């Protein structure tokens, strides 16, 4: 491979009190430059108050074919939701 | 559009997998980079997104040309912000293309050696300040016509890039309209310049949507895959219908004497651009093709020492840190 700068995934905290959210990616030679570039590419209109950068090859991801084994088990567990339980009206707010 | 005449690839995949893939698209699901996809879908999208990204980057040249000569400090700041947005749009799109397994350097090289195209519109010159207004208003206006529906495209990263782009794009069209409006309402010499810019850029703007539907051979597969949402003529008509009243508002003459409201169709009739000129520009024979590619090649070559230097520095820093641990 040639001298291509590594790819970084960019996460931005939009407002105080919110989580960082993935907004996209960019190339940069190192973390410091990735943050500087992310500021120019992803926060030109007050989109953020904090930036995280992670080199893309450090991210492990689940595979689309694991969708069944990973998420189907929770489909049958409706009792995990509060709406599963009938609470008599006279009990009031719960 | 920013991607014109994107050739769709025939696909030779397992028919069962193809049918399941089409069913996902028909159900409105988004395709993500790690999902199975037909080879033709992947190749067509790399070409389309790549061409779109290249257009954003090359599109900085005709406008960057006027940053130092903007008539006021405010116009200069606005134009600078707009051109910076174009760089950002190019970057969002390159990243979307890269998720399909092509590298940034490969995409860049294909632009620089002419294997990949960018929109025909950027091979026209911006001769004066009125052209900058007309480009923002007409060219970005035409781009928006195509980009708004593409927010619903089937490929997740492309769709997300388009959503970001559309948020910023209406600033581009409005600042252009505002700039040309100032001139249309100015002295008679300024008004003349505004008229001249609209006259010169009208047909090149219509060409952005690509050839007429009857000559557009790549549409059916791309539309089935939802990587093209409307036909070229549908979008062109929409653009004409939206823009004609704006030209009239400015008090300028229509750039095409055949434009006329058609009560029956509920649309404006208009003349097609000269398609032979369009094909010449696509082939590399437009007024600025040579300059544009030379400018991009020069920027790439002149920047090599910066790219290499920063990478060498980061490797040295990492090695030093590693040794200290």
């Amino acid at each position: 491979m040639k001298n291509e700068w590594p790819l970084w995934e960019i996460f931005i905290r939009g407002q105080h009190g919110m989580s960082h959210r993935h907004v996209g990616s960019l190339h940069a030679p190192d973390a410091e430059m990735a943050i500087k570039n992310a500021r120019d590419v992803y926060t030109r209109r007050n989109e953020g108050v904090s930036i995280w950068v992670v080199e893309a090859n450090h991210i492990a991801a689940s595979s689309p074919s694991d969708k069944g084994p990973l998420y189907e088990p929770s489909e049958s567990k409706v009792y995990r939701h509060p709406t599963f339980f009938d609470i008599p009206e006279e009990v009031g707010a719960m | 559009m920013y991607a014109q005449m994107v050739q769709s690839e025939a696909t030779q995949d397992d028919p069962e997998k193809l049918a399941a893939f089409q069913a996902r698209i028909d159900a409105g699901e988004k395709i993500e980079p790690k999902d199975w996809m037909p080879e033709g879908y992947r190749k067509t999208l790399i070409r389309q997104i790549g061409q779109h990204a290249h257009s954003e980057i090359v599109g900085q040249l005709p406008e960057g040309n006027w940053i130092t000569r903007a008539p006021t400090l405010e116009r200069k700041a606005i134009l600078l912000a707009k051109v910076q947005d174009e760089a950002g749009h190019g970057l969002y799109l390159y990243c979307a293309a890269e998720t399909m397994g092509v590298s940034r350097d490969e995409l860049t090289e294909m632009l620089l050696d002419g294997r990949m195209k960018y929109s025909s519109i950027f091979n026209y010159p911006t001769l004066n300040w009125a052209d900058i207004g007309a480009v923002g208003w007409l060219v970005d206006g035409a781009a928006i016509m195509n980009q708004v529906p593409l927010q619903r495209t089937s490929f997740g990263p492309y769709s997300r890039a388009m959503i970001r782009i559309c948020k910023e794009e209406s600033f581009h069209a409005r600042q252009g309209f505002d700039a040309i409006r100032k001139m249309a309402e100015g002295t008679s010499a300024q008004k003349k310049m505004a008229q001249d810019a609209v006259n010169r850029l009208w047909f090149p703007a219509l060409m952005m949507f690509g050839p007429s539907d009857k000559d557009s051979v790549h549409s059916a597969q791309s539309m089935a895959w939802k990587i093209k949402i409307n036909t070229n003529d549908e979008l062109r008509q929409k653009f004409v219908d939206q823009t004609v009243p704006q030209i009239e508002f400015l008090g300028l003459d229509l750039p095409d004497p055949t434009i006329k409201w058609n009560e029956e169709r509920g649309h404006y009739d208009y003349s097609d651009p000269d398609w032979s000129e369009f094909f010449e520009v696509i082939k590399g024979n437009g007024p600025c093709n040579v300059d544009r590619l030379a400018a991009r090649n020069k920027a790439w070559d002149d920047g090599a020492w910066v790219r290499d230097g920063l990478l060498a520095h980061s490797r040295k820093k990492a090695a030093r840190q590693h040794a200290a641990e």
Side-chain angles (χ1 to χ4, degrees):
Chain A
M1 196 57 221
K2 281 171 296 175
N3 276 351
E4 193 169 286
W5 290 347
L7 188 69
W8 299 76
E9 297 301 331
I10 312 302
F11 300 81
I12 306 268
R13 185 200 300 284
Q15 295 167 34
H16 290 288
M18 305 292 282
S19 307
H20 284 75
R21 206 167 65 91
H22 183 244
V23 293
S25 39
L26 51 76
H27 289 272
D30 57 27
E32 189 188 338
M33 285 304 298
I35 290 175
K36 289 193 166 127
N37 291 352
R39 173 231 180 228
D40 285 344
V41 179
Y42 292 107
T43 66
R44 289 194 301 280
R45 289 175 174 80
N46 293 322
E47 287 98 335
V49 294
S50 163
I51 299 172
W52 285 353
V53 299
V54 184
E55 213 179 311
N57 63 17
H58 290 155
I59 291 185
S62 65
S63 141
S65 58
D66 290 340
K67 210 168 134 195
L70 285 178
Y71 313 116
E72 267 164 26
S74 75
E75 280 172 18
S76 57
K77 297 176 178 58
V78 283
Y79 46 83
R80 290 184 183 229
H81 297 279
T83 47
F84 179 74
F85 304 95
D86 280 330
I87 304 293
E89 220 166 277
E90 42 280 38
V91 176
M94 186 179 284
Chain B
M1 195 29 46
Y2 274 22
Q4 293 155 324
M5 301 182 68
V6 176
Q7 200 179 338
S8 35
E9 291 274 340
T11 233
Q12 271 139 17
D13 296 283
D14 173 8
E16 221 167 274
K17 278 185 165 173
L18 275 178
F21 178 79
Q22 191 61 49
R24 289 191 62 198
I25 289 183
D26 294 342
E29 281 183 38
K30 294 282 182 230
I31 309 301
E32 295 296 339
K34 290 177 91 181
D35 294 349
W36 183 86
M37 63 185 80
E39 200 44 29
Y41 179 84
R42 199 180 72 82
K43 281 192 181 153
T44 308
L45 263 182
I46 287 176
R47 202 173 287 154
Q48 178 173 335
I49 301 173
Q51 192 184 117
H52 194 157
H54 297 326
S55 299
E56 302 283 356
I57 298 301
V58 176
Q60 295 180 101
L61 296 170
E63 293 187 295
N65 179 32
W66 279 89
I67 289 173
T68 57
R69 293 172 290 169
T72 67
L73 187 57
E74 187 183 56
R75 293 282 176 203
K76 181 186 286 203
I78 291 169
L79 185 59
L80 201 56
K82 190 211 183 249
V83 173
Q84 191 189 13
D85 275 356
E86 306 299 358
H89 295 180
L91 295 182
Y92 307 155
L93 288 160
Y94 280 132
C95 285
E98 285 173 79
T99 65
M100 307 198 100
V102 61
S103 80
R104 176 74 60 92
D105 281 359
E106 283 169 330
L107 288 166
T108 305
E109 279 161 16
M110 285 191 278
L111 167 69
L112 296 181
D113 66 21
R115 269 176 294 161
M116 284 181 88
K117 302 282 181 207
Y118 53 89
S119 177
S120 58
I121 188 74
F122 301 118
N123 291 313
Y124 289 86
T126 44
L127 302 176
N128 56 48
W129 179 253
D131 286 13
I132 295 302
V135 164
W137 167 40
L138 298 175
V139 173
D140 290 67
I144 290 169
M145 288 289 153
N146 185 50
Q147 289 171 341
V148 166
L150 275 177
Q151 294 179 94
R152 294 180 280 115
T153 188
S154 61
F155 187 55
Y158 192 25
S159 156
R160 292 189 283 275
M162 291 320 309
I163 290 168
R164 291 193 70 87
I165 289 174
C166 285
K167 267 193 208 157
E168 300 175 345
E169 201 78 63
S170 75
F171 149 60
H172 297 179
R174 284 177 176 219
Q175 65 83 32
F177 183 76
D178 189 66
I180 204 145
R181 187 177 156 204
K182 205 76 173 181
M183 297 189 75
E185 293 170 354
T187 64
S188 67
Q190 287 168 334
K191 189 171 178 181
K192 226 168 150 182
M193 279 174 75
Q195 181 70 58
D196 170 62
V198 173
N199 291 351
R200 275 184 292 107
L201 284 160
W202 174 256
F203 285 111
L206 293 190
M207 291 177 197
M208 289 174 65
F209 298 93
S212 162
D213 291 350
K214 58 183 189 309
D215 303 319
S216 187
V217 285
H218 311 300
S219 289
Q221 179 62 79
S222 288
M223 290 183 92
W225 279 335
K226 288 193 193 157
I227 57 183
K228 184 175 177 131
I229 312 287
N230 303 93
T231 72
N232 297 349
D233 285 337
E234 275 168 20
L235 292 171
R236 192 167 12 247
Q237 181 71 62
K238 213 170 156 199
F239 173 73
V240 171
D241 290 349
Q242 178 185 294
T243 310
V244 167
Q246 295 171 354
I247 299 173
E248 285 167 343
F249 173 89
L250 292 174
L252 298 177
D253 295 332
L254 295 175
D256 161 11
T258 67
I259 290 176
K260 203 173 157 235
W261 178 253
N262 183 324
E263 193 66 52
E264 205 177 301
R265 292 200 307 128
H267 292 291
Y268 284 97
D269 291 336
Y270 63 95
S271 296
D272 264 346
D274 175 358
W275 290 119
S276 62
E277 177 181 321
F278 170 76
F279 288 112
E280 278 304 305
V281 174
I282 292 277
K283 264 193 271 171
N285 303 324
C288 299
N289 296 58
V290 174
D291 286 355
R292 300 295 186 235
L293 268 190
R296 288 315 307 154
N297 272 288
K298 184 175 187 304
W300 180 250
D301 295 342
D302 289 355
W305 69 274
V306 179
R307 293 192 300 276
D308 293 347
L310 285 175
L311 194 65
H313 174 69
S314 78
R315 282 178 181 157
K316 201 164 83 180
K317 220 170 44 177
R320 206 178 283 154
Q321 202 170 15
H322 191 69
E325 274 165 12

